[in-house]
Amino acid sequence: MIELKWIFFYTVSFILFFKFSLNLNKWFHIGSEVKTYIRNSTNEIIEDFVIYGRHNKMEVAQILPKKDTLVLFYGKSIDYDTQNPNENSVEISFTSAKFFTQKEILSNWRVISDSLSIEIIKKDSIKVEIW
């Protein structure tokens, strides 16, 4: 006959294991990567390019003029459990010829299904495409 303490032990162990396995996707960014294409269409070097938001941050030290860069940004998932809804927005910042630019490229609840394309046309002009 199985004792009551072993039933309690196995039940609690199963619940903890199940709760832990649900959080694995958040902890290891499983399925949260976004292919991000960054195109510098200016004639100047872009320095300190940063994409941040949705509990992630990705930095590129330098993007040469008229060049493309492919990076992975792990901010695809929207955190519906957050207390601060502004944590779900995605912003970029960069410096071009000592001119600092910071812009929000994705609003709080905008979904990214596949990839993201960011084209820097001028120091203060950006084109964003979401797939």
Side-chain angles (χ1 to χ4, degrees):
M1 187 162 148
I2 300 177
E3 295 181 30
L4 189 58
K5 67 179 180 182
W6 289 111
I7 293 174
F8 177 75
F9 172 75
Y10 287 126
T11 305
V12 170
S13 298
F14 175 76
I15 291 170
L16 290 176
F17 175 75
F18 185 70
K19 198 161 181 58
F20 174 75
S21 65
L22 288 177
N23 287 327
L24 282 178
N25 290 347
K26 286 184 182 178
W27 293 339
F28 297 112
H29 303 292
I30 298 171
S32 184
E33 64 271 350
V34 176
K35 291 179 189 172
T36 305
Y37 301 93
I38 306 167
R39 175 175 291 144
N40 181 4
S41 298
T42 67
N43 292 325
E44 300 166 351
I45 296 174
I46 302 293
E47 296 177 338
D48 303 324
F49 185 88
V50 180
I51 301 176
Y52 55 95
R54 297 185 182 175
H55 306 291
N56 201 336
K57 180 179 180 181
M58 189 277 312
E59 300 179 17
V60 177
Q62 192 177 61
I63 305 172
L64 297 174
K66 306 293 183 187
K67 295 289 180 178
D68 296 348
T69 304
L70 174 64
V71 294
L72 284 179
F73 174 62
Y74 293 95
K76 185 175 184 179
S77 299
I78 294 176
D79 185 9
Y80 294 103
D81 297 330
T82 184
Q83 297 297 320
N84 180 7
N86 293 326
E87 290 178 358
N88 285 319
S89 64
V90 177
E91 298 181 7
I92 63 169
S93 65
F94 60 91
T95 305
S96 174
K98 298 183 182 179
F99 183 80
F100 180 76
T101 303
Q102 180 177 5
K103 297 202 183 257
E104 180 178 315
I105 59 171
L106 291 175
S107 63
N108 296 338
W109 307 113
R110 179 66 190 226
V111 176
I112 307 169
S113 59
D114 181 42
S115 61
L116 182 65
S117 175
I118 302 169
E119 182 179 0
I120 302 168
I121 301 169
K122 295 180 182 175
K123 293 180 202 177
D124 59 350
S125 180
I126 298 168
K127 178 182 174 184
V128 177
E129 295 177 356
I130 304 167
W131 292 292

